[in-house]
Amino acid sequence: MKIILTQEVSGLGTPGDIVEVKNGYGRNYLLPQGFAIQWTKGAEKQVAVIKRARDAREIRDLGQANEVKAQLSGLKVTLTARSGNGGRLFGSITPAEIVDAVKTAGGPALDRRRLELPGHIKTTGAYNVQVKLHPEVTATFPVNVVAAK
């Protein structure tokens, strides 16, 4: 099945890319979620518009990505979570919780889908979280998980 991506899908491509995927993946996931549209000759003409907008946004975002990286490097992010004996959490820390913690710590608004966690965070302690701000810029910032009292 040939589709045109309308949003970034990790491992598949960026908006405006024409990709070939399995029928079930495209029909049952990408199209209903709005990540892609069905490929047609008319839709292929829209790809040029999508790519032009993406190129203009990326050129502008490279400078912004470096500014956001500088903001994140000096940030102290602390998350409080309920935990049992030995520091083991009830559940785990999600990317959405990390994005909220960055915002409350005075940091920039981040996209939770661009966060790369070092595995599942299920215990208290310090972790280094990476966020892919731009294809050329990746920022790393520390997240400290503490037990709620």
Side-chain angles (χ1 to χ4, degrees):
M1 166 182 253
K2 221 176 191 183
I3 58 169
I4 301 170
L5 296 176
T6 57
Q7 294 183 14
E8 183 175 342
V9 179
S10 63
L12 201 55
T14 57
D17 289 349
I18 299 172
V19 293
E20 186 79 27
V21 296
K22 300 266 185 169
N23 289 338
Y25 183 52
R27 193 172 43 245
N28 297 327
Y29 178 67
L30 295 174
L31 295 176
Q33 295 291 327
F35 294 143
I37 57 173
Q38 184 78 33
W39 177 87
T40 60
K41 288 183 182 181
E44 191 169 0
K45 292 177 184 175
Q46 291 178 339
V47 170
V49 175
I50 293 171
K51 284 192 175 186
R52 261 189 306 212
R54 181 182 67 188
D55 290 342
R57 195 171 52 244
E58 281 184 358
I59 292 169
R60 187 179 67 228
D61 282 347
L62 182 59
Q64 286 178 333
N66 287 323
E67 290 174 14
V68 171
K69 182 179 179 180
Q71 286 178 348
L72 287 173
S73 65
L75 206 60
K76 303 270 191 232
V77 180
T78 303
L79 271 167
T80 57
R82 290 183 48 217
S83 67
N85 294 337
R88 187 162 170 81
L89 300 180
F90 298 131
S92 64
I93 302 296
T94 63
E97 291 173 330
I98 293 174
V99 168
D100 290 340
V102 167
K103 226 177 205 180
T104 57
L110 300 174
D111 184 7
R112 65 176 171 78
R113 293 173 292 212
R114 294 182 179 258
L115 287 180
E116 296 174 5
L117 300 178
H120 296 287
I121 300 177
K122 294 187 175 192
T123 58
T124 58
Y127 297 91
N128 285 327
V129 176
Q130 288 186 340
V131 59
K132 193 168 184 134
L133 301 169
H134 188 269
E136 301 168 10
V137 179
T138 302
T140 303
F141 61 94
V143 173
N144 192 20
V145 179
V146 296
K149 296 181 180 183

